[in-house]
């Protein structure tokens, strides 16, 4: 696996490809992992209010990896940030490893959901944002990372259509766009979110400064979607 481009990279990032390289085996979703690496790093390094010592803190941010079928980048970032031991990485996908081909929230410290089935993460994130609102926990933010192909699933469109009118401003969706969606058109992803009342930004998914600016953009009263464009899956 290769990580292309070097613009806008932040301190600490160069360690991640080495950590990903420790995970070998019969993994069929390499592009699903490498496409998410930069967005995940910027979130965990500069945006998310989470830490290994805050796993049960009600005030923590919630990050949900919906694109869980290629979790190597996720595991590498969790290891770099101290959530899981680096020593776990070489066992990725083996019978007795906690690091499965889909993350398991019971086995992986820091994982909020078990994921990998397309179309589940965004609806769960909507429910999490509603739950926090009902508990009057107004500081925690909910972040969910999805793939563009997941947006072919109807469950996501129901979640998008609900969240905008509900004013779930603590909800943030990162869409990794590697041109793998079946039903797609230029700027169609942002148009779908905007039509439902979301705030949207489209950025270069490899540029860390652009990602950080998009992730921290103000969006009062509305949920926020960041479409991070990376190289096409078939490239």
């Amino acid at each position: 696996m290769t990580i292309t481009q070097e613009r806008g990279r932040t301190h600490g990032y160069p360690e991640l490809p080495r950590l990903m390289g420790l995970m070998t085996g019969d993994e069929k979703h390499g592009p699903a992992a490498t496409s998410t690496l930069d967005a995940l790093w910027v979130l965990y390094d500069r945006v998310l209010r989470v830490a290994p010592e805050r796993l049960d803190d009600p005030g923590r941010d919630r990050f949900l990896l919906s694109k869980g079928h290629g979790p190597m980048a996720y595991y590498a970032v969790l290891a770099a940030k101290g959530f899981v031991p680096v020593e776990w990485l070489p066992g990725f996908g083996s019978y007795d490893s906690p690091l499965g081909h889909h993350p398991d929230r019971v086995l992986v410290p820091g994982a909020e959901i078990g994921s990998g089935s397309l179309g589940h993460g965004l609806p769960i994130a909507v429910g999490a944002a509603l739950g926090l609102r009902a508990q009057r926990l107004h500081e925690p933010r909910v972040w969910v990372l999805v793939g563009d192909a997941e947006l072919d699933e109807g469950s996501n469109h129901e979640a998008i259509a609900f969240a905008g009118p509900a004013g779930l401003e603590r909800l943030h969706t990162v869409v990794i766009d590697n041109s793998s969606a079946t039903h797609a058109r230029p700027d169609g992803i942002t148009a779908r979110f905007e039509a439902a009342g979301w705030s949207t930004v489209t950025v270069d998914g490899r540029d860390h400064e652009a990602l950080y600016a998009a992730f921290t953009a103000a969006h009062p009263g509305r949920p926020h979607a960041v479409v991070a464009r990376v190289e096409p899956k078939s490239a």
Side-chain angles (χ1 to χ4, degrees):
M1 291 180 287
T2 59
I3 308 299
T4 61
Q5 306 174 332
E6 292 299 330
R7 62 187 178 277
R9 292 277 161 77
T10 50
H11 177 72
Y13 177 88
E15 177 73 356
L16 294 180
R18 183 189 73 83
L19 294 176
M20 288 186 67
L22 297 175
M23 290 173 276
T24 59
D26 189 23
E27 169 56 52
K28 302 301 186 182
H29 294 289
T34 57
S35 65
T36 67
L37 187 59
D38 295 273
L40 284 168
W41 178 250
V42 174
L43 282 171
Y44 273 88
D45 191 49
R46 304 173 65 183
V47 178
L48 292 173
R49 294 175 299 201
V50 295
E53 64 273 14
R54 296 185 62 188
L55 295 180
D56 298 319
D57 182 354
R60 73 189 185 282
D61 287 344
R62 274 68 166 173
F63 174 77
L64 283 58
L65 180 69
S66 186
K67 192 178 170 72
H69 55 287
M72 295 93 76
Y74 183 50
Y75 294 153
V77 171
L78 290 179
K81 290 299 181 181
F83 288 87
V84 302
V86 172
E87 292 74 21
W88 284 8
L89 299 181
F92 164 68
S94 61
Y95 175 76
D96 58 350
S97 173
L99 304 182
H101 288 165
H102 290 188
D104 186 330
R105 67 174 296 273
V106 177
L107 300 177
V108 182
E112 296 281 355
I113 60 171
S115 62
S117 298
L118 299 183
H120 288 180
L122 184 51
I124 294 173
V126 169
L130 286 170
L132 291 170
R133 176 189 283 182
Q135 296 174 74
R136 302 186 183 277
L137 293 172
H138 301 303
E139 290 302 316
R141 298 166 299 184
V142 178
W143 290 81
V144 57
L145 187 148
V146 307
D148 60 329
E150 284 191 81
L151 298 182
D152 291 341
E153 302 290 335
S155 55
N156 279 319
H157 290 279
E158 293 181 7
I160 293 168
F162 176 86
L168 296 180
E169 65 179 343
R170 308 307 286 172
L171 175 63
H172 307 73
T173 299
V174 182
V175 183
I176 302 298
D177 182 5
N178 64 358
S179 302
S180 60
T182 303
H183 308 294
R185 60 182 178 81
D187 297 318
I189 295 175
T190 55
R192 177 66 187 90
F193 281 91
E194 289 171 355
W198 288 58
S199 165
T200 65
V201 180
T202 298
V203 297
D204 179 347
R206 298 302 188 190
D207 187 322
H208 289 194
E209 294 306 320
L211 286 165
Y212 177 73
F215 292 161
T216 57
H219 51 95
R222 296 192 291 168
H224 186 51
V226 175
V227 179
R229 288 179 172 167
V230 299
E231 60 278 4
K233 182 178 179 180
S234 58

